[in-house]
Amino acid sequence: MGSHGRPPAGATLRDLGEFGLIEAVTARFSHGRDVLVGPGDDAAVLAAPDGRVVVTTDLLLEGRHFRRDWSSAVDVGHKAAAQNLADVASMGARPTGLFLGFAAPGDLAVDWALAMADGMAEECAQAGASVSGGDVSSADSIMLGVTALGDLQGRPPVLRSGARPGDAVVLAGRLGWAQAGLALLTAGSAAGDSRWVDDPRWKELIAAHRRPRPPYALGPVLAAAGAHAMCDVSDGLVADLGHIAVASGVSIDLASEAFLIDEAMRSAGAALDVDPLRWVLGGGEDHPLVACLPPGVTPPAGCIVIGSVLSGAGSAGAGVTVDGERPVGSDGWDHYGQSATDAS
Amino acid sequence: MGSHGRPPAGATLRDLGEFGLIEAVTARFSHGRDVLVGPGDDAAVLAAPDGRVVVTTDLLLEGRHFRRDWSSAVDVGHKAAAQNLADVASMGARPTGLFLGFAAPGDLAVDWALAMADGMAEECAQAGASVSGGDVSSADSIMLGVTALGDLQGRPPVLRSGARPGDAVVLAGRLGWAQAGLALLTAGSAAGDSRWVDDPRWKELIAAHRRPRPPYALGPVLAAAGAHAMCDVSDGLVADLGHIAVASGVSIDLASEAFLIDEAMRSAGAALDVDPLRWVLGGGEDHPLVACLPPGVTPPAGCIVIGSVLSGAGSAGAGVTVDGERPVGSDGWDHYGQSATDAS
């Protein structure tokens, strides 16, 4: 609306006001071809060329999903976008738009909000999507409500329920890195000791916690290759494949030798006295894609075969084995704390 | 996933766990024809028959947007859905789907969450939409991130920027009722006196604060009638028409005699020493629709003419007059408190 210019240095959200904040934030967002009506009206209008639209939503809360002393504002924006865009890609869809509900205290620095918006816009650009609308409100702590949309490009959505015995289980993207980074940050915080965080050997693990790198483009590629089932790993590999196993009425066996655990994970595991395979099997937040591909299909470039789909339904969570045995300590994450083994 | 039945009486979210809560909540939602893939996968798939989709999102926070002692769980569900569905209707679209991000303390009663879900489902049904997906998390207080989608049915979206001199400004739905109800609840709370809330004369005003009744069906009807501009009233009539005036480069004059202020509003205004016209001009939360109709178009049934569009752009917020004069005390609501005159 043109009445506010660039916000002054050191300004807070209260200084800028609701409409000034909306204007300053939306000025950071450029809009791709899918955005037909962008921010500034009662609602946005996105293209849905396929006649269907994929939709997913998540809340991210300060202190639960991120900490401002562990992640920069840019990181938080990247991560909030990534976890939703990965859900869209895991349906086999091309991400198109992202919507943000943002609530924060009035004394938050405007610079934090703008840097977060920049991170979100950058992550969207990596996935081919645009931040297309939103809402701001005040709150005692920062919270983000993020909704992502995507286009199926004429293909059926790839559900959790389509896995069939004989399928190969393939992985695209990093696994366990974010959980290792979180473990290092947690240990450093508990010990009041920055060496866990500053050690150059573990820089990439910490960075992985702060900014996941989901392989967005491989979602549509895996769908086009005929994937029977797919999801992103957000609760942990065993937990998420457990959802596929239950929904599909199958069992899944993983081959531990498929997981190439690199030196950073091994040394961090040794330092923290944790078997890094536990991070690989139980850690979420890297948001890689796992898919079940029919026999005879060559996995697309960037995918590694990690197991196979077997006949026979297991009960919830018991349908996934590693080298034929039930893995220990990989239950994943329950937001009300019933069965979490890797609580942050 | 079938492992949980009906939750036991008195159960909390922590008792039920994340997946139990998701299962119990999604069991309350029935899905209309627009829901192609409902809750339970990484994302939902909605029909977008028009090849475009209207999207809007909002956050609702306990203590800021609702109070559990002032509104029941069912009311909160209705209101959270209504304010987003009204945004969709105000673009001229038919609401199709609603997505919910829900965060709450682990000690919240499961019954509260389920009743909220029921309210949300009922409100969606009134608008012809379905709750189609979501996410749950834990938090210190209750927060709802709500996203609503809609279908334009082949028509152009009705924006804020299309008003033209000579248009009639028409209103569909109640105005000022919710603000009067909030004023009564606030006065009762400050005085520790339930007579403000229990007085049968004001029952409908209190109810209007708890459950708005946006005229969803009139959004597409007004669009089909050729509305040049439209929005729902969420910040206050003068503030929201101010957005239309600025976006369209016009002025708007309202006729005070058009506002039929009924006995409940008059008696509540007298009791609280407030001119009820202030609630009409400045109160949001009823979510009626206001539209600018071209000359010669008969307003659809249920719409009342309240003013006219004039040439000449005003500066922000100054483009709206009542009987030719700038109204006082009707600036509407700024979430960071810069210019709010009716803060709740």
Side-chain angles (χ1 to χ4, degrees), chain A residues 127-152:
Chain A
S130 312
V131 185
S132 314
D135 170 53
V136 305
S137 185
S138 61
D140 293 332
S141 59
I142 301 172
M143 54 194 77
L144 310 174
V146 180
T147 302
L149 278 72
D151 178 50
L152 287 163

PDB file of all heavy atoms in Angstrom, chain A residues 127-152:
ATOM      1  N   ALA A 127      12.172 -25.444  -4.670  1.00  0.00           N
ATOM      2  CA  ALA A 127      11.168 -26.463  -5.003  1.00  0.00           C
ATOM      3  C   ALA A 127      10.311 -26.050  -6.188  1.00  0.00           C
ATOM      4  O   ALA A 127       9.417 -26.793  -6.594  1.00  0.00           O
ATOM      5  CB  ALA A 127      10.288 -26.738  -3.786  1.00  0.00           C
ATOM      6  N   GLY A 128      10.529 -24.858  -6.715  1.00  0.00           N
ATOM      7  CA  GLY A 128       9.732 -24.383  -7.844  1.00  0.00           C
ATOM      8  C   GLY A 128       8.415 -23.746  -7.446  1.00  0.00           C
ATOM      9  O   GLY A 128       7.545 -23.521  -8.290  1.00  0.00           O
ATOM     10  N   ALA A 129       8.260 -23.449  -6.157  1.00  0.00           N
ATOM     11  CA  ALA A 129       7.002 -22.886  -5.652  1.00  0.00           C
ATOM     12  C   ALA A 129       7.201 -21.432  -5.241  1.00  0.00           C
ATOM     13  O   ALA A 129       8.322 -20.917  -5.244  1.00  0.00           O
ATOM     14  CB  ALA A 129       6.511 -23.694  -4.461  1.00  0.00           C
ATOM     15  N   SER A 130       6.099 -20.746  -4.880  1.00  0.00           N
ATOM     16  CA  SER A 130       6.153 -19.359  -4.418  1.00  0.00           C
ATOM     17  C   SER A 130       5.365 -19.228  -3.123  1.00  0.00           C
ATOM     18  O   SER A 130       4.334 -19.870  -2.957  1.00  0.00           O
ATOM     19  CB  SER A 130       5.484 -18.423  -5.420  1.00  0.00           C
ATOM     20  OG  SER A 130       5.921 -18.650  -6.725  1.00  0.00           O
ATOM     21  N   VAL A 131       5.829 -18.350  -2.222  1.00  0.00           N
ATOM     22  CA  VAL A 131       4.985 -17.971  -1.082  1.00  0.00           C
ATOM     23  C   VAL A 131       3.887 -17.066  -1.640  1.00  0.00           C
ATOM     24  O   VAL A 131       4.168 -16.049  -2.266  1.00  0.00           O
ATOM     25  CB  VAL A 131       5.781 -17.240   0.011  1.00  0.00           C
ATOM     26  CG1 VAL A 131       4.884 -16.973   1.214  1.00  0.00           C
ATOM     27  CG2 VAL A 131       7.010 -18.050   0.428  1.00  0.00           C
ATOM     28  N   SER A 132       2.643 -17.464  -1.438  1.00  0.00           N
ATOM     29  CA  SER A 132       1.550 -16.858  -2.200  1.00  0.00           C
ATOM     30  C   SER A 132       0.515 -16.142  -1.345  1.00  0.00           C
ATOM     31  O   SER A 132      -0.402 -15.518  -1.871  1.00  0.00           O
ATOM     32  CB  SER A 132       0.831 -17.947  -3.006  1.00  0.00           C
ATOM     33  OG  SER A 132       1.756 -18.780  -3.658  1.00  0.00           O
ATOM     34  N   GLY A 133       0.647 -16.221  -0.013  1.00  0.00           N
ATOM     35  CA  GLY A 133      -0.331 -15.549   0.826  1.00  0.00           C
ATOM     36  C   GLY A 133      -0.089 -15.866   2.273  1.00  0.00           C
ATOM     37  O   GLY A 133       0.775 -16.677   2.608  1.00  0.00           O
ATOM     38  N   GLY A 134      -0.862 -15.218   3.150  1.00  0.00           N
ATOM     39  CA  GLY A 134      -0.685 -15.491   4.565  1.00  0.00           C
ATOM     40  C   GLY A 134      -1.486 -14.575   5.448  1.00  0.00           C
ATOM     41  O   GLY A 134      -2.428 -13.914   5.018  1.00  0.00           O
ATOM     42  N   ASP A 135      -1.068 -14.538   6.698  1.00  0.00           N
ATOM     43  CA  ASP A 135      -1.814 -13.866   7.757  1.00  0.00           C
ATOM     44  C   ASP A 135      -0.816 -13.587   8.869  1.00  0.00           C
ATOM     45  O   ASP A 135       0.077 -14.394   9.095  1.00  0.00           O
ATOM     46  CB  ASP A 135      -2.908 -14.827   8.252  1.00  0.00           C
ATOM     47  CG  ASP A 135      -3.605 -14.360   9.505  1.00  0.00           C
ATOM     48  OD1 ASP A 135      -4.084 -13.211   9.499  1.00  0.00           O
ATOM     49  OD2 ASP A 135      -3.681 -15.125  10.481  1.00  0.00           O
ATOM     50  N   VAL A 136      -0.942 -12.440   9.541  1.00  0.00           N
ATOM     51  CA  VAL A 136      -0.084 -12.210  10.702  1.00  0.00           C
ATOM     52  C   VAL A 136      -0.934 -11.903  11.931  1.00  0.00           C
ATOM     53  O   VAL A 136      -2.050 -11.414  11.831  1.00  0.00           O
ATOM     54  CB  VAL A 136       0.939 -11.069  10.482  1.00  0.00           C
ATOM     55  CG1 VAL A 136       1.773 -11.311   9.239  1.00  0.00           C
ATOM     56  CG2 VAL A 136       0.269  -9.723  10.443  1.00  0.00           C
ATOM     57  N   SER A 137      -0.378 -12.248  13.080  1.00  0.00           N
ATOM     58  CA  SER A 137      -1.076 -12.049  14.342  1.00  0.00           C
ATOM     59  C   SER A 137      -0.025 -11.851  15.426  1.00  0.00           C
ATOM     60  O   SER A 137       1.162 -12.074  15.201  1.00  0.00           O
ATOM     61  CB  SER A 137      -1.938 -13.271  14.645  1.00  0.00           C
ATOM     62  OG  SER A 137      -2.706 -13.068  15.804  1.00  0.00           O
ATOM     63  N   SER A 138      -0.454 -11.439  16.610  1.00  0.00           N
ATOM     64  CA  SER A 138       0.498 -11.338  17.707  1.00  0.00           C
ATOM     65  C   SER A 138       0.348 -12.542  18.622  1.00  0.00           C
ATOM     66  O   SER A 138      -0.698 -13.167  18.682  1.00  0.00           O
ATOM     67  CB  SER A 138       0.276 -10.035  18.479  1.00  0.00           C
ATOM     68  OG  SER A 138      -1.020 -10.008  19.027  1.00  0.00           O
ATOM     69  N   ALA A 139       1.432 -12.891  19.310  1.00  0.00           N
ATOM     70  CA  ALA A 139       1.441 -14.051  20.197  1.00  0.00           C
ATOM     71  C   ALA A 139       2.598 -13.890  21.165  1.00  0.00           C
ATOM     72  O   ALA A 139       3.477 -13.052  20.963  1.00  0.00           O
ATOM     73  CB  ALA A 139       1.611 -15.336  19.382  1.00  0.00           C
ATOM     74  N   ASP A 140       2.614 -14.696  22.214  1.00  0.00           N
ATOM     75  CA  ASP A 140       3.697 -14.597  23.200  1.00  0.00           C
ATOM     76  C   ASP A 140       4.995 -15.203  22.687  1.00  0.00           C
ATOM     77  O   ASP A 140       6.071 -14.867  23.157  1.00  0.00           O
ATOM     78  CB  ASP A 140       3.289 -15.303  24.494  1.00  0.00           C
ATOM     79  CG  ASP A 140       2.145 -14.577  25.178  1.00  0.00           C
ATOM     80  OD1 ASP A 140       2.029 -13.350  25.002  1.00  0.00           O
ATOM     81  OD2 ASP A 140       1.353 -15.238  25.872  1.00  0.00           O
ATOM     82  N   SER A 141       4.895 -16.141  21.755  1.00  0.00           N
ATOM     83  CA  SER A 141       6.093 -16.729  21.174  1.00  0.00           C
ATOM     84  C   SER A 141       5.842 -16.878  19.674  1.00  0.00           C
ATOM     85  O   SER A 141       4.721 -16.684  19.208  1.00  0.00           O
ATOM     86  CB  SER A 141       6.414 -18.084  21.819  1.00  0.00           C
ATOM     87  OG  SER A 141       5.331 -18.966  21.649  1.00  0.00           O
ATOM     88  N   ILE A 142       6.880 -17.235  18.950  1.00  0.00           N
ATOM     89  CA  ILE A 142       6.731 -17.298  17.495  1.00  0.00           C
ATOM     90  C   ILE A 142       6.054 -18.590  17.086  1.00  0.00           C
ATOM     91  O   ILE A 142       6.404 -19.675  17.582  1.00  0.00           O
ATOM     92  CB  ILE A 142       8.108 -17.210  16.818  1.00  0.00           C
ATOM     93  CG1 ILE A 142       8.799 -15.888  17.205  1.00  0.00           C
ATOM     94  CG2 ILE A 142       7.985 -17.320  15.299  1.00  0.00           C
ATOM     95  CD1 ILE A 142      10.237 -15.812  16.739  1.00  0.00           C
ATOM     96  N   MET A 143       5.085 -18.489  16.210  1.00  0.00           N
ATOM     97  CA  MET A 143       4.489 -19.698  15.651  1.00  0.00           C
ATOM     98  C   MET A 143       4.190 -19.497  14.175  1.00  0.00           C
ATOM     99  O   MET A 143       3.830 -18.408  13.738  1.00  0.00           O
ATOM    100  CB  MET A 143       3.248 -20.104  16.423  1.00  0.00           C
ATOM    101  CG  MET A 143       2.215 -19.045  16.561  1.00  0.00           C
ATOM    102  SD  MET A 143       0.993 -19.503  17.814  1.00  0.00           S
ATOM    103  CE  MET A 143       1.922 -19.157  19.301  1.00  0.00           C
ATOM    104  N   LEU A 144       4.386 -20.577  13.437  1.00  0.00           N
ATOM    105  CA  LEU A 144       4.184 -20.544  11.995  1.00  0.00           C
ATOM    106  C   LEU A 144       3.169 -21.627  11.629  1.00  0.00           C
ATOM    107  O   LEU A 144       3.327 -22.784  12.022  1.00  0.00           O
ATOM    108  CB  LEU A 144       5.495 -20.854  11.259  1.00  0.00           C
ATOM    109  CG  LEU A 144       6.739 -20.072  11.669  1.00  0.00           C
ATOM    110  CD1 LEU A 144       7.965 -20.600  10.941  1.00  0.00           C
ATOM    111  CD2 LEU A 144       6.545 -18.603  11.373  1.00  0.00           C
ATOM    112  N   GLY A 145       2.151 -21.241  10.917  1.00  0.00           N
ATOM    113  CA  GLY A 145       1.233 -22.205  10.325  1.00  0.00           C
ATOM    114  C   GLY A 145       1.504 -22.201   8.826  1.00  0.00           C
ATOM    115  O   GLY A 145       1.324 -21.173   8.180  1.00  0.00           O
ATOM    116  N   VAL A 146       1.984 -23.309   8.315  1.00  0.00           N
ATOM    117  CA  VAL A 146       2.415 -23.350   6.919  1.00  0.00           C
ATOM    118  C   VAL A 146       1.559 -24.351   6.142  1.00  0.00           C
ATOM    119  O   VAL A 146       1.338 -25.475   6.615  1.00  0.00           O
ATOM    120  CB  VAL A 146       3.899 -23.747   6.813  1.00  0.00           C
ATOM    121  CG1 VAL A 146       4.352 -23.786   5.362  1.00  0.00           C
ATOM    122  CG2 VAL A 146       4.766 -22.778   7.607  1.00  0.00           C
ATOM    123  N   THR A 147       1.078 -23.927   5.002  1.00  0.00           N
ATOM    124  CA  THR A 147       0.297 -24.799   4.128  1.00  0.00           C
ATOM    125  C   THR A 147       0.948 -24.792   2.753  1.00  0.00           C
ATOM    126  O   THR A 147       1.272 -23.722   2.226  1.00  0.00           O
ATOM    127  CB  THR A 147      -1.156 -24.300   4.005  1.00  0.00           C
ATOM    128  OG1 THR A 147      -1.721 -24.247   5.314  1.00  0.00           O
ATOM    129  CG2 THR A 147      -1.986 -25.232   3.132  1.00  0.00           C
ATOM    130  N   ALA A 148       1.179 -25.974   2.199  1.00  0.00           N
ATOM    131  CA  ALA A 148       1.783 -26.066   0.868  1.00  0.00           C
ATOM    132  C   ALA A 148       0.836 -26.771  -0.085  1.00  0.00           C
ATOM    133  O   ALA A 148       0.096 -27.680   0.308  1.00  0.00           O
ATOM    134  CB  ALA A 148       3.110 -26.822   0.937  1.00  0.00           C
ATOM    135  N   LEU A 149       0.862 -26.342  -1.350  1.00  0.00           N
ATOM    136  CA  LEU A 149       0.016 -26.918  -2.389  1.00  0.00           C
ATOM    137  C   LEU A 149       0.876 -27.430  -3.534  1.00  0.00           C
ATOM    138  O   LEU A 149       1.998 -26.953  -3.733  1.00  0.00           O
ATOM    139  CB  LEU A 149      -0.963 -25.876  -2.923  1.00  0.00           C
ATOM    140  CG  LEU A 149      -2.240 -25.654  -2.108  1.00  0.00           C
ATOM    141  CD1 LEU A 149      -1.941 -24.916  -0.818  1.00  0.00           C
ATOM    142  CD2 LEU A 149      -3.280 -24.888  -2.908  1.00  0.00           C
ATOM    143  N   GLY A 150       0.325 -28.359  -4.274  1.00  0.00           N
ATOM    144  CA  GLY A 150       1.068 -28.898  -5.403  1.00  0.00           C
ATOM    145  C   GLY A 150       0.161 -29.424  -6.499  1.00  0.00           C
ATOM    146  O   GLY A 150      -1.043 -29.624  -6.299  1.00  0.00           O
ATOM    147  N   ASP A 151       0.784 -29.653  -7.650  1.00  0.00           N
ATOM    148  CA  ASP A 151       0.065 -30.081  -8.854  1.00  0.00           C
ATOM    149  C   ASP A 151       0.539 -31.477  -9.261  1.00  0.00           C
ATOM    150  O   ASP A 151       1.739 -31.734  -9.344  1.00  0.00           O
ATOM    151  CB  ASP A 151       0.355 -29.082  -9.975  1.00  0.00           C
ATOM    152  CG  ASP A 151      -0.310 -29.491 -11.277  1.00  0.00           C
ATOM    153  OD1 ASP A 151      -1.521 -29.790 -11.247  1.00  0.00           O
ATOM    154  OD2 ASP A 151       0.377 -29.528 -12.315  1.00  0.00           O
ATOM    155  N   LEU A 152      -0.399 -32.368  -9.537  1.00  0.00           N
ATOM    156  CA  LEU A 152      -0.072 -33.771  -9.833  1.00  0.00           C
ATOM    157  C   LEU A 152       0.294 -34.000 -11.294  1.00  0.00           C
ATOM    158  O   LEU A 152       0.654 -35.133 -11.671  1.00  0.00           O
ATOM    159  CB  LEU A 152      -1.232 -34.683  -9.414  1.00  0.00           C
ATOM    160  CG  LEU A 152      -1.377 -34.856  -7.891  1.00  0.00           C
ATOM    161  CD1 LEU A 152      -2.763 -35.399  -7.540  1.00  0.00           C
ATOM    162  CD2 LEU A 152      -0.295 -35.783  -7.355  1.00  0.00           C
TER     163      LEU A 152
END
